[in-house]
Amino acid sequence: MAALAAACVTSTSFAADVKTGRAKAVQCQACHGMDGLAKVPEAPNLAGQNEDYLVKALKDFRSGARQNEMMSVVAKPLSDADIANLAAFYHSLGPK
Amino acid sequence: MAALAAACVTSTSFAADVKTGRAKAVQCQACHGMDGLAKVPEAPNLAGQNEDYLVKALKDFRSGARQNEMMSVVAKPLSDADIANLAAFYHSLGPK
């Protein structure tokens, strides 16, 4: 019951897979790095970032609620599972 | 000339003051912490974040280009100097 409650608090965590996210992140690495440290000054570091925040950011880029020249394009085809996995992967890197 | 060119690349850095940013960040700490590590799950960690990215995020919240229930309100009264100082402060924390 406690585990169920915990799963409900972070609604994305039950489906998120770090390894699948890492594979998907190959398309993110030019700007955000496979280490989650940005390679261009206008991109944010993502290593260790809050998972819920990353999920919201990707969903907002996908829906158009948040706009960015690059992210609005690359987020468009992502599924909910892609987003959950990418968020889990970047969250798993760096500072805990 | 090299110094001038460098200053132009990061247009915010010439005016940014970490100490003034730290004082201003008192109003950010409930969510983002004075250590730049988020205190609520929906807020991002800011420690060591790219300065240019932080400046853009705050200016987008201030202008309304980016929307968030909390940030749209708190960013509204910030001056360009406030934004530069806050970005410099949070950039100065954590991973380099």
Side-chain angles (χ1 to χ4, degrees):
Chain A
M1 193 61 198
L4 180 64
C8 291
V9 170
T10 305
S11 60
T12 58
S13 61
F14 68 93
D17 184 80
V18 170
K19 279 193 178 177
T20 310
R22 182 185 295 118
K24 191 75 182 172
V26 168
Q27 71 180 83
C28 318
Q29 68 173 313
C31 296
H32 295 291
M34 288 307 290
D35 55 2
L37 300 178
K39 306 311 172 196
V40 295
E42 65 271 27
N45 300 325
L46 300 181
Q49 190 54 276
N50 281 348
E51 203 166 342
D52 287 359
Y53 174 79
L54 293 173
V55 167
K56 182 177 189 304
L58 283 170
K59 289 188 173 177
D60 283 353
F61 283 128
R62 185 177 64 178
S63 74
R66 188 173 167 189
Q67 298 279 335
N68 175 271
E69 189 177 10
M70 175 66 78
M71 291 303 303
S72 300
V73 175
V74 298
K76 193 74 75 186
L78 296 178
S79 68
D80 284 355
D82 290 335
I83 287 175
N85 295 338
L86 285 167
F89 168 60
Y90 278 114
H91 175 71
S92 77
L93 303 173
K96 303 297 176 194
Chain B
M1 193 60 200
L4 180 63
C8 292
V9 170
T10 306
S11 59
T12 58
S13 61
F14 67 94
D17 183 81
V18 170
K19 279 194 178 176
T20 309
R22 182 184 295 119
K24 191 74 183 172
V26 168
Q27 70 179 85
C28 317
Q29 68 172 313
C31 297
H32 295 291
M34 288 308 289
D35 56 3
L37 300 178
K39 306 311 171 195
V40 294
E42 65 271 28
N45 299 324
L46 301 180
Q49 190 54 276
N50 281 347
E51 202 166 342
D52 287 0
Y53 174 79
L54 292 173
V55 167
K56 182 177 188 306
L58 284 169
K59 288 188 173 177
D60 284 353
F61 283 127
R62 184 177 64 179
S63 73
R66 187 173 168 190
Q67 298 278 335
N68 174 271
E69 190 177 10
M70 176 66 79
M71 290 304 301
S72 299
V73 175
V74 297
K76 194 74 75 184
L78 297 177
S79 67
D80 283 356
D82 290 335
I83 288 174
N85 295 337
L86 285 166
F89 167 60
Y90 277 113
H91 175 71
S92 77
L93 303 172
K96 302 298 175 195

